[in-house]
Amino acid sequence: QVQLVQSGAEVKKPGASVKVSCKASGYTFSNYEINWVRQATGQGLEWMGWMNPNSGYTGYALKFQGRVTITRNTSISTAYMELSSLRSEDAAVYYCARGARRLGAAFDIWGQGTMVTVSS
Amino acid sequence: DIQMTQSPSSLSASVGDRVTITCRASQSISTYLTWFQQKRGKAPKLLIYAASSLQSGVPSRFSGSGSGTDFTLTISSLQPEDFATYYCQQTYSTPFTFGPGTKVDIK
């Protein structure tokens, strides 16, 4: 079935970087955009950026520009989100989500989420 | 950036009630509006896309309407499994901003 499976929970120290993976299966990876969204505990959803897996083109929310990098490896249908210079406020669950242009770019498939803890 | 607001921020309702949640965009987004349901500890689930189109597999008691800046999500007869937080999101332009959410709990 169509799914996105993310890598496991991470614990990082302030100032470090984290790289989360998102493996797609059940569909043609290059045909759909991948978005990254995060959610701090008890808080709302925050869009971080997106990537066109076919071209590799990316776009990032201004808040994260300079700290976030979204990449992909098309040979294994996997997208990655790397966030650098981590601070305590970056502790959150990070989700990847498929964007479907035929649905007005709606996010129709989500990964299970990856918990990132930032602690010294 | 396009700002999204939702009202109410929370509501209490009973099984069988009709529930309406409102979402407003700070500028026109045509019908590039999505509704999600999120339960505790789970990823969001797509309910409605393009403002009024029901995602496959979503019960027909969910409906969406609106265009431009004002949108609504309606649950015609609330079921026990519908107690959750609901978010709207615009995909008209990046950053694809979300509303702050509406928590629906049991009265």
Side-chain angles (χ1 to χ4, degrees), chain A:
Chain A
Q1 74 276 27
V2 176
Q3 61 180 352
L4 298 172
V5 177
Q6 299 182 220
S7 49
E10 302 266 11
V11 179
K12 296 292 181 181
K13 294 188 184 306
S17 297
V18 67
K19 190 171 186 177
V20 180
S21 68
C22 171
K23 182 171 177 60
S25 61
Y27 73 96
T28 302
F29 178 64
S30 58
N31 286 356
Y32 295 80
E33 292 158 5
I34 291 290
N35 294 267
W36 288 89
V37 175
R38 77 178 187 180
Q39 185 172 39
T41 301
Q43 302 301 307
L45 300 164
E46 183 175 32
W47 182 81
M48 300 178 67
W50 70 280
M51 178 187 63
N52 180 318
N54 188 43
S55 65
Y57 182 83
T58 55
Y60 303 119
L62 202 61
K63 173 178 179 176
F64 299 103
Q65 279 192 8
R67 283 208 303 143
V68 68
T69 306
I70 300 173
T71 56
R72 90 289 195 208
N73 182 335
T74 54
S75 67
I76 56 171
S77 300
T78 300
Y80 304 90
M81 185 284 299
E82 184 170 22
L83 187 63
S84 62
S85 302
L86 289 170
R87 33 215 193 222
S88 58
E89 313 88 89
D90 294 318
V93 175
Y94 289 75
Y95 294 101
C96 59
R98 188 179 84 164
R101 288 206 173 268
R102 62 182 171 83
L103 306 183
F107 299 0
D108 64 341
I109 303 294
W110 291 66
Q112 82 276 19
T114 297
M115 171 78 77
V116 174
T117 301
V118 183
S119 174
S120 53

